Amino acid sequence: MSQRNEKPLGEEGTDDPIPPLQVDLKINDIVGNGISGMLYKWVNYGKGWKPRWFVLQDGVLSYYKINGPDKILVSQETEKGCKVIGEKSRRIISRHRDSFSNNSLTNRKPFGEIHLEVSTFRQSKSHDKRFSIFTGTKMLHLRAESQDDREAWMEALQAVKDMFHRVFHSKIVAPMVDKVAISTEKLRQRLVQEGLDSATIEDSEQIMRNEFATLQKKLVLLKQKQWLLIDILQQLEVYVMKMRKKHSIFKN
């Protein structure tokens, strides 16, 4: 029986958040250099579920078309270094193992990108192959080939998500030091070779120190703004999820 026009994930209240991973689980054991594979993406009631090729790298989940004029070529070379999820995904790669060209990588423009740092994931309680990703502005409904494939994707997504929280809240992020020592010895030697007097050399060294100090202050400020932005995005994520639950209650 065709699943073309099946309804996607049910009411929001029927989806359960995935359980947290064990603390001692290493992200490299799950994600490695990247995750790739085919998933079905819900488009609309007219088009139903459509296959897309998904790639998880550097905290970003990108997806591509694998059919039609805008399709990408998937092969062992394009997915080199990635862990491939699903038997059907591996069969797709095997079919194109002799079709690799340099354009296979350079022309890969994703149809969509999801930044996991500000996204949440939920697996369907009523369908063992489906799950959804909420980005804060839109919801993606996805379906794997099997329950095991879904679990593998969910595990990888959660591992990357947890990594961002650990980086932000733990000592993995090295604190910015107030001052960094800078040597002007090479500058001094070069100016001496040019025959400049001591006063000019000292002025040049001081100018270099002042410029470096100004640049360092700007870098520290930018880093602080980055941390603040991440914190705001995380708070926004919590707020949006609360509003979704509240809306679901009134809707029901």
Side-chain angles (χ1 to χ4, degrees):
M1 181 177 178
S2 173
Q3 300 186 26
R4 173 183 173 86
N5 290 323
E6 289 182 41
K7 187 178 179 181
L9 299 177
E11 296 296 331
E12 295 175 359
T14 63
D15 296 332
D16 288 339
I18 63 175
L21 296 176
Q22 296 297 321
V23 176
D24 59 349
L25 194 57
K26 295 182 179 179
I27 187 171
N28 285 339
D29 295 337
I30 302 174
V31 179
N33 293 324
I35 296 288
S36 64
M38 190 207 72
L39 291 169
Y40 292 96
K41 177 181 176 293
W42 175 261
V43 180
N44 53 47
Y45 282 96
K47 297 182 178 180
W49 296 93
K50 293 296 182 181
R52 299 287 186 263
W53 191 261
F54 283 78
V55 178
L56 173 58
Q57 281 185 328
D58 300 325
V60 178
L61 182 66
S62 306
Y63 57 91
Y64 309 80
K65 288 187 176 182
I66 53 177
N67 294 317
D70 298 318
K71 69 180 181 180
I72 63 166
L73 180 65
V74 179
S75 68
Q76 292 179 347
E77 287 297 324
T78 62
E79 308 310 307
K80 189 175 182 179
C82 287
K83 293 184 178 181
V84 180
I85 295 178
E87 287 299 325
K88 188 167 185 177
S89 300
R90 285 185 277 272
R91 289 198 298 269
I92 292 174
I93 291 176
S94 298
R95 288 203 304 264
H96 302 105
R97 59 186 176 184
D98 298 325
S99 304
F100 175 74
S101 66
N102 291 331
N103 291 332
S104 301
L105 291 173
T106 57
N107 292 335
R108 286 167 68 105
K109 295 182 179 180
F111 260 73
E113 292 183 340
I114 303 165
H115 293 264
L116 301 186
E117 186 175 358
V118 292
S119 300
T120 55
F121 336 111
R122 303 177 75 86
Q123 59 186 3
S124 172
K125 188 176 181 179
S126 56
H127 302 88
D128 60 6
K129 299 178 184 178
R130 300 182 190 175
F131 62 100
S132 60
I133 301 177
F134 183 62
T135 67
T137 58
K138 63 180 179 179
M139 178 79 77
L140 273 75
H141 300 289
L142 304 173
R143 191 186 79 218
E145 278 290 312
S146 67
Q147 183 177 4
D148 289 341
D149 290 351
R150 183 185 74 168
E151 294 303 319
W153 274 107
M154 296 294 277
E155 189 178 39
L157 293 171
Q158 191 63 48
V160 174
K161 176 76 173 180
D162 290 345
M163 178 193 68
F164 282 112
H165 287 284
R166 289 198 302 271
V167 168
F168 182 71
H169 293 290
S170 73
K171 294 181 180 179
I172 294 178
V173 177
M176 297 289 290
V177 294
D178 293 334
K179 292 184 179 180
V180 176
I182 178 174
S183 173
T184 60
E185 184 60 29
K186 290 184 178 180
L187 175 63
R188 170 176 285 274
Q189 292 176 0
R190 185 70 179 87
L191 295 179
V192 168
Q193 291 176 1
E194 293 295 326
L196 275 69
D197 59 85
S198 298
T200 303
I201 292 176
E202 290 178 0
D203 287 343
S204 300
E205 289 178 312
Q206 189 58 46
I207 291 173
M208 181 177 177
R209 294 190 189 97
N210 292 341
E211 290 294 324
F212 181 81
T214 301
L215 177 60
Q216 186 186 16
K217 289 179 181 179
K218 291 181 179 180
L219 290 175
V220 171
L221 181 60
L222 287 174
K223 193 64 179 179
Q224 291 173 344
K225 288 182 177 180
Q226 180 189 25
W227 290 343
L228 178 61
L229 177 59
I230 292 175
D231 188 47
I232 292 174
L233 290 174
Q234 291 173 344
Q235 293 179 36
L236 177 62
E237 174 188 331
V238 174
Y239 172 78
V240 171
M241 293 304 297
K242 288 182 178 179
M243 292 301 295
R244 287 182 62 233
K245 291 181 179 179
K246 183 178 180 181
H247 176 72
S248 178
I249 292 174
F250 285 120
K251 184 177 180 181
N252 294 331

